[in-house]
Amino acid sequence: KMYVLEVSLIFVIPIGLITAAIAFLKIKGIPFLHFLFLSLEFYIKPRHRVWTPGAGEVFTSITSPRPKTKAELEQQKQTKKAPKELKNLDELTSILDSHSDIVEAKHEAIQNLIQH
């Protein structure tokens, strides 16, 4: 029975350690499994990169917005609100003019108080 225990421990201990490392171990704040994948990627990918203008595939990030089609641009132009017309300009000027009359009246009342 001791032989079976020793043979099973040879398999159980490494598997248990790997499982515990994946679950709990962090290297420089990175989970162990993520660290393993990054290490694998480091050794598989080339370290020397050469840029050739116009060659290769263009990297498109999933976070960048996709280009709009002509139809979408036309629809956006049509739905864009037109600037407010100046039909209420007379109403606005009358409000501003009446406000200036009120300010002048207050100014005259203050001047009268100061003079007397």
Side-chain angles (χ1 to χ4, degrees):
K1 292 204 176 212
M2 195 63 153
Y3 174 75
V4 174
L5 182 61
E6 289 176 10
V7 171
S8 64
L9 286 179
I10 292 173
F11 297 108
V12 170
I13 290 176
I15 292 173
L17 289 174
I18 292 171
T19 304
I22 290 173
F24 301 110
L25 184 63
K26 287 189 175 186
I27 299 172
K28 294 186 180 183
I30 301 173
F32 184 70
L33 188 60
H34 193 73
F35 182 79
L36 285 177
F37 289 142
L38 289 173
S39 301
L40 183 67
E41 182 180 9
F42 175 77
Y43 290 114
I44 291 174
K45 286 193 173 183
R47 286 174 193 74
H48 184 73
R49 297 184 182 164
V50 178
W51 179 68
T52 307
E57 296 179 11
V58 177
F59 174 73
T60 305
S61 174
I62 60 171
T63 59
S64 64
R66 65 176 177 78
K68 294 183 179 181
T69 62
K70 288 183 180 180
E72 289 174 335
L73 290 173
E74 288 296 323
Q75 183 182 12
Q76 186 179 8
K77 283 182 184 178
Q78 291 174 357
T79 58
K80 194 179 267 188
K81 293 182 179 178
K84 291 184 178 180
E85 293 181 19
L86 299 177
K87 62 183 178 183
N88 295 332
L89 188 59
D90 292 333
E91 188 178 322
L92 181 61
T93 54
S94 67
I95 291 171
L96 291 173
D97 289 342
S98 66
H99 181 71
S100 65
D101 293 340
I102 294 170
V103 171
E104 286 177 18
K106 286 183 180 180
H107 181 67
E108 288 175 9
I110 292 173
Q111 289 296 327
N112 288 337
L113 284 174
I114 292 174
Q115 290 176 356
H116 292 263

